Amino acid sequence: MLGVLLLGAAGCKKLDLGPSYQDTDLTFWQKPEAAAQVLNNCYAGMYSDDYYFFNESLSDNSFSSSSVNGGAAQSIAAGAYDGRTNRVAGEWAFHYGGIRNVNNLIANIDKVPGLDAGLKDRYLAEARFIRAFHYFHLISWYADVPLIKNEISYEESFNIARTSKAEVLAYVLTELDEVAPLLPLKAEYGDAEKGRISKGAAMALKAKVLLYDNKWSEAAAVLEQFMGGTYGVYTLFPSFPGIFQPENENNSEVILNLEFVPVSRTHSMQRFFIPFTEGTLISGMAPSQSLVDDFIMTNGKSISETGSGYDDNAPYRNRDPRLEATIIHDGSSFTTKRGETVTIRTAPGTGDNAADKADASKTGYYFRKYYDRTADGNNNSGLNLILLRYADVLLMYAEAKVMMNQLDADTWDKTIKVIRQRAGFSDPAALNFSNYAGLSNTAKTDLVRRERRTELALESQRIFDIRRWKIAETVMNGTLYGMKVGNSHLIVDRRVFDAGKHYLWPVPQADIDMNNHLLPNNTGW
């Protein structure tokens, strides 16, 4: 018995010391590389590839054919969700996990030995940007959310209340203003540090935050400085399809990426949206007919407009070149990872990619944008996902100006015209402002919004646009259609959007169960 007690005492002593080969809270921050490691974790947790792509299926851009994929994107689009739905609960947890990582770095960075003061300031600026990015997404989905600026204890987490959206928004803008002077320009980073947050990223995000809050004049002022080169030199990449190819990563147009590295850090999302024969997995994201229809003709007219030349029997002829670069339709040419060029057939009865096949696209369309031919055999891709790019800056500027009824020839030439030229438009009817000058401002607004939709499809933008424009109850209510077969379009899904409650997600039920200070919930929940 004495021997057992002695062994027990020895065991307790050993446990108190802890394993010598593992870091503890006391030892980790004593490592010179600790700050860089934690900051890299903050970058990795800035956004989710799953959210990035499946956001398309939360909008009118695409259909999710699985009730599970994207955190139940299909159910959310159908209005059948609550605070227990995976994506609703997961989005909240994801962003607060990222905020916790940033607060942890800020609280402990002074413990890191030998860290250069200038590098420390830059690390803190990058981390604070990431925290602001998280809060921007939180208020976009939930409005009032807890504003946590520092590390809090386990006990404190059960007593924290929600902060008004206005206060969180003001905090985000202040943070971006304060960190911008501490961040390098994109060109000042070396090759080994490509993809890091720059001064341009901070100001582009600030402009987006202002635009989302309908502060048109303030957003335009920031965007004018951005376009003037104050925050670094950015240009449209010459090739629209080339923007999203691995050989052109971090090109002149990219402001901020969600970074991936082949083999060591990859995402497997493309298997959900490329042709079934190539992805060999259920086609989880199928573009909608609504998205296809919004791509204009090469003469600049919409397909329903008089004189457009649209032919219902040849619906993809003489269309915006971005249609073919973004979407694969029946008859599209497609180059496989094996280097073979094949024709994709999606009409019912035409093969494994056809709309009537169980696991194929239900709409008869697939996405081409972000297809990575260098992905491995399981379609794991190291291709970066673009969070902010220069075309978005130009489109935000065009939107801010049109909302102030100031979309003139000069603004047009600096924004819509150059974007269309880069896309491959050559017809003066599509390029010259004189052909649109006589439109009402409402029609011009619709034009700018359509341009955003077609330029930025599959880039996680549409869901936020339709919500901030308050058009979701129009575009997300009713039937989602697929390709035309015979005299009618495929009926794919039924969408429901209740304007009285669905513009904001509910606070997750599990969090309310642990902390009733998060009540009251959002209207309707």
Side-chain angles (χ1 to χ4, degrees):
M1 187 175 295
L2 179 60
V4 170
L5 291 172
L6 290 172
L7 285 172
C12 289
K13 183 177 181 181
K14 187 173 183 179
L15 285 173
D16 288 340
L17 289 172
S20 61
Y21 55 86
Q22 290 182 348
D23 284 317
T24 67
D25 288 341
L26 295 176
T27 63
F28 174 78
W29 293 102
Q30 299 304 312
K31 301 190 303 180
E33 67 274 17
Q37 287 181 358
V38 175
L39 181 58
N40 287 341
N41 287 337
C42 294
Y43 268 97
M46 185 161 55
Y47 207 57
S48 159
D49 55 296
D50 184 79
Y51 295 171
Y52 185 91
F53 284 112
F54 274 101
N55 277 350
E56 295 298 294
S57 293
L58 296 179
S59 79
D60 54 342
N61 274 1
S62 81
F63 165 67
S64 175
S65 57
S66 167
S67 60
V68 177
N69 293 151
Q74 183 190 87
S75 298
I76 295 173
Y81 67 98
D82 59 23
R84 295 164 294 185
T85 301
N86 286 347
R87 174 63 190 274
V88 175
E91 182 97 23
W92 178 282
F94 178 87
H95 291 299
Y96 275 110
I99 290 166
R100 181 188 62 236
N101 289 340
V102 170
N103 288 343
N104 180 248
L105 173 62
I106 293 172
N108 291 285
I109 196 168
D110 285 335
K111 300 175 185 176
V112 178
L115 184 60
D116 176 78
L119 190 59
K120 172 191 166 184
D121 288 343
R122 197 196 84 194
Y123 281 176
L124 288 173
E126 292 173 74
R128 290 168 66 188
F129 172 96
I130 293 171
R131 183 172 59 187
F133 185 86
H134 283 300
Y135 275 119
F136 175 51
H137 280 268
L138 282 167
I139 60 176
S140 296
W141 289 116
Y142 307 95
D144 300 350
V145 296
L147 179 57
I148 305 171
K149 303 177 184 179
N150 304 293
E151 279 196 307
I152 60 174
S153 68
Y154 179 73
E155 290 74 20
E156 287 174 313
S157 69
F158 294 108
N159 295 291
I160 194 163
R162 298 165 73 189
T163 307
S164 72
K165 177 182 177 180
E167 185 176 339
V168 179
L169 183 68
Y171 174 74
V172 167
L173 292 170
T174 298
E175 284 289 278
L176 294 174
D177 279 337
E178 290 183 1
V179 303
L182 304 172
L183 291 166
L185 299 173
K186 179 181 176 181
E188 292 175 337
Y189 281 115
D191 288 343
E193 294 185 307
K194 280 185 177 179
R196 287 199 172 275
I197 293 160
S198 65
K199 195 184 304 292
M203 289 297 101
L205 181 59
K206 178 184 177 181
K208 189 175 284 284
V209 173
L210 290 168
L211 194 80
Y212 277 31
D213 198 38
N214 301 333
K215 292 184 169 63
W216 316 120
S217 178
E218 294 175 54
V222 175
L223 293 163
E224 284 170 358
Q225 290 181 315
F226 198 107
M227 294 159 64
T230 301
Y231 308 120
V233 178
Y234 297 88
T235 59
L236 294 176
F237 190 70
S239 163
F240 176 76
I243 300 169
F244 310 97
Q245 296 303 310
E247 62 269 24
N248 300 320
E249 286 186 328
N250 291 298
N251 60 66
S252 63
E253 186 165 342
V254 175
I255 301 169
L256 180 65
N257 278 324
L258 182 62
E259 296 278 325
F260 290 87
V261 181
V263 182
S264 60
R265 174 171 157 79
T266 61
H267 58 86
S268 57
M269 300 306 295
Q270 75 171 16
R271 69 181 70 176
F272 288 109
F273 60 77
I274 61 177
F276 173 72
T277 52
E278 301 303 313
T280 62
L281 191 70
I282 183 172
S283 298
M285 285 176 286
S288 67
Q289 185 65 48
S290 169
L291 173 58
V292 172
D293 286 348
D294 251 0
F295 286 88
I296 59 175
M297 305 296 290
T298 53
N299 61 11
K301 294 180 179 292
S302 67
I303 64 172
S304 60
E305 197 172 346
T306 302
S308 69
Y310 176 74
D311 183 353
D312 204 34
N313 296 312
Y316 314 114
R317 188 171 61 197
N318 296 329
R319 298 290 292 277
D320 181 337
R322 290 170 294 190
L323 172 58
E324 203 68 45
T326 303
I327 291 174
I328 298 166
H329 55 76
D330 186 50
S332 284
S333 177
F334 183 80
T335 303
T336 70
K337 289 191 296 182
R338 301 176 297 280
E340 303 167 350
T341 300
V342 299
T343 298
I344 302 298
R345 301 307 308 274
T346 66
T350 57
D352 289 340
N353 291 313
D356 58 344
K357 287 293 184 178
D359 292 332
S361 166
K362 299 304 178 189
T363 67
Y365 299 108
Y366 297 90
F367 280 112
R368 188 193 302 272
K369 185 187 278 190
Y370 273 120
Y371 168 53
D372 178 11
R373 285 181 54 202
T374 68
D376 67 20
N378 291 318
N379 280 303
N380 296 312
S381 169
L383 185 59
N384 294 339
L385 306 181
I386 301 173
L387 299 174
L388 292 166
R389 62 182 175 99
Y390 190 55
D392 191 6
V393 165
L394 300 183
L395 289 167
M396 286 195 289
Y397 185 64
E399 180 181 338
K401 296 292 277 187
V402 78
M403 294 306 294
M404 294 187 290
N405 199 12
Q406 295 175 5
L407 182 62
D408 55 14
D410 180 62
T411 300
W412 174 274
D413 289 348
K414 291 189 294 190
T415 58
I416 308 296
K417 181 177 181 177
V418 292
I419 288 173
R420 288 186 176 181
Q421 285 176 322
R422 188 272 298 279
F425 283 89
S426 58
D427 190 332
L431 297 175
N432 295 337
F433 180 70
S434 58
N435 296 303
Y436 301 97
L439 295 175
S440 67
N441 202 62
T442 298
K444 289 176 183 174
T445 300
D446 290 341
L447 184 155
V448 172
R449 290 178 176 183
R450 183 188 299 122
E451 200 73 23
R452 269 192 75 81
R453 186 182 190 186
T454 52
E455 173 74 20
L456 301 173
L458 199 63
E459 296 182 54
S460 201
Q461 298 293 323
R462 179 67 175 175
I463 180 59
F464 300 108
D465 287 345
I466 65 174
R467 291 164 72 92
R468 65 188 178 88
W469 293 333
K470 294 294 185 288
I471 63 170
E473 67 265 36
T474 301
V475 302
M476 288 296 293
N477 263 324
T479 303
L480 181 141
Y481 293 100
M483 68 179 291
K484 191 172 185 179
V485 178
N487 294 321
S488 61
H489 288 273
L490 296 173
I491 295 176
V492 178
D493 194 24
R494 178 74 181 175
R495 262 70 188 292
V496 174
F497 191 95
D498 181 352
K501 63 185 294 189
H502 289 156
Y503 273 112
L504 291 176
W505 281 355
V507 175
Q509 187 60 48
D511 291 86
I512 291 174
D513 290 342
M514 292 185 290
N515 176 15
N516 61 16
H517 293 283
L518 297 173
L519 293 173
N521 212 326
N522 288 325
T523 302
W525 300 105

